[in-house]
Amino acid sequence: MFGGGSFTSQNKVLPGSYINFVSAARAAAAVSDRGIVAVPLTLSWGPEKTAFEVTAEDFQKNCMAIFGYPYEAPELLPLREVFRYAVKGVFYRLVAGTKAANNYATARYGGVRGNAIKIVVAKNVDDESKYDVKTYLDSKLVDEQTVATASGLKDNDYVIFKKDSTLATTAGIALAGGADGETPTGTEHSEFLAAMESHTFHVLCCPVTDESTKALYVAYTKRLRDEAGVKFQTVMFQKAADYEGVISVENETEELAHGLVYWTAGAEAACAVNKTNENRTYDGEYTVKADYTQTQLSEGIKAGKFMFHKVGNEIRVLMDINTLTHYTDEKSEDFSSNQTIRVLDQIGNDIASMFNDRYLGKVPNDDAGRVSLWNDIVTYGNKLAGIRAIEAVTADNITVEKGQNKRSVTVSFPVEPINCMSQLYMTVVVQ
């Protein structure tokens, strides 16, 4: 991993990109796509204690093989919420369960879901020296093979066949003994977070309610954002972190107290840099508790809470904000807007990627090299301005200069993020 993060002085050791975001005193890089969410899972099927990526298309087409349940199953409700907007998920099953088995096969993954698998063996109607071996999940046929002996069976998405078994006609033998693991603790969540350090994502989903685990996610977010330069936001439930990298969902749902964390994580990850989730209609499946007075909504916003409220018969996002509530000269109130953070994170990630790919160890640190970097940054800034994510860039205000040693360059890139309209103040003059 390259070095990265913020800097106080030019004293870094590792090669990399060190970028500070501060509020201005009140006086050929591409804009990368968004939509990736990192999510820890406690399901009863799927790869265990390892990170795996699933696109929205894969989820819709292959969720049975990947997660063990059909798309519409209640067990997959949290994932349907994530993929309401997310384009890709980086998933990690926190706890390994016990694998179900019978005389012919062992479930590919541990967990109680393996007990729903059944193996049916029948004589092949065209060749009685062979057997038709069928794998069922619930009542759905998911695999069928014709073989002479068990040694010819090929493992499928659901079972690992016992190649030394003796095939015999059976109406169906269910796998048994499958069990879920223990409730995940901070240790399992720490392992998940460590695994995520080698993956790219825009939002980290923290679907927990205990304060100690939430504190772990906050510390992880601060460390990676501020020290490693990895720019993302973490969505969690009712956590006053006072930090621009943490979004705190306030509302509960009837079905699951912290259920809205999943929808919010997907919506925040997929939200473009020139857009906002403010006033977005909640279109998920949970029943949202949103009975607030105007005073409660106002106080919630001041406290940095991401809240949903009723507008007629709809549930909508009140304001697209994070938990930052104490402002400084370096981090003004602007930093509490998630749209502002999306713009700044996009700049940090894209410029760092461009520098690491095109300049680090490749381009001499001379006038020509620095002019090339300046041109790329100006071009990138103009692209952001073109999609109305930032105000128009003044090229003369962007500087790329030699740093304090022969290997370093210092960049000043003033930007003014644009936020979508939120408030209307109008005076109607009656003639």
Side-chain angles (χ1 to χ4, degrees), residues 231-395:
K231 303 302 183 183
F232 64 90
Q233 289 182 289
T234 297
V235 175
M236 57 180 57
F237 179 65
Q238 295 183 354
K239 180 64 177 179
D242 193 17
Y243 183 63
E244 69 274 10
V246 173
I247 300 170
S248 175
V249 178
E250 178 66 16
N251 301 65
E252 296 183 5
T253 73
E254 297 286 350
E255 299 82 357
L256 181 66
H258 58 281
L260 289 175
V261 167
Y262 296 103
W263 183 93
T264 305
E268 288 292 337
C271 191
V273 292
N274 58 350
K275 302 293 182 180
T276 180
N277 284 311
E278 184 168 315
N279 203 39
R280 182 187 289 274
T281 300
Y282 172 70
D283 54 0
E285 301 175 46
Y286 285 115
T287 304
V288 181
K289 299 179 181 180
D291 292 325
Y292 296 110
T293 66
Q294 292 295 310
T295 298
Q296 288 173 322
L297 292 173
S298 179
E299 292 301 317
I301 293 302
K302 292 177 183 177
K305 298 177 180 179
F306 188 98
M307 302 181 72
F308 295 78
H309 68 133
K310 287 185 177 179
V311 180
N313 294 323
E314 296 180 331
I315 300 294
R316 295 187 184 182
V317 175
L318 180 58
M319 287 185 67
D320 194 1
I321 60 172
N322 54 63
T323 59
L324 183 68
T325 55
H326 290 85
Y327 312 122
T328 65
D329 290 339
E330 291 191 343
K331 292 183 180 180
S332 67
E333 186 176 0
D334 293 340
F335 280 63
S336 66
S337 163
N338 287 331
Q339 186 171 358
T340 295
I341 299 303
R342 276 191 291 274
V343 171
L344 298 181
D345 285 358
Q346 189 87 25
I347 292 172
N349 289 334
D350 288 347
I351 295 297
S353 177
M354 179 265 292
F355 178 82
N356 293 341
D357 290 344
R358 299 187 56 187
Y359 290 89
L360 195 154
K362 300 175 182 179
V363 177
N365 188 8
D366 57 10
D367 287 340
R370 291 189 291 274
V371 168
S372 177
L373 178 58
W374 177 86
N375 275 321
D376 278 343
I377 294 175
V378 171
T379 299
Y380 175 79
N382 286 332
K383 288 181 178 179
L384 283 180
I387 62 174
R388 301 164 72 185
I390 63 173
E391 297 288 356
V393 171
T394 302

Side-chain angles (χ1 to χ4, degrees), residues 116-179:
I117 299 173
K118 179 174 64 175
I119 304 297
V120 175
V121 182
K123 285 285 188 178
N124 182 265
V125 295
D126 297 321
D127 186 348
E128 289 195 356
S129 68
K130 295 183 178 181
Y131 294 89
D132 294 329
V133 180
K134 300 179 181 180
T135 305
Y136 286 85
L137 180 59
D138 291 329
S139 59
K140 181 178 177 60
L141 176 65
V142 294
D143 181 68
E144 181 177 3
Q145 302 179 45
T146 301
V147 296
T149 65
S151 62
L153 290 168
K154 296 181 179 179
D155 301 334
N156 57 45
D157 290 332
Y158 303 91
V159 298
I160 307 298
F161 285 106
K162 297 178 179 179
K163 308 301 193 298
D164 57 352
S165 62
T166 300
L167 296 178
T169 301
T170 174
I173 302 177
L175 275 63

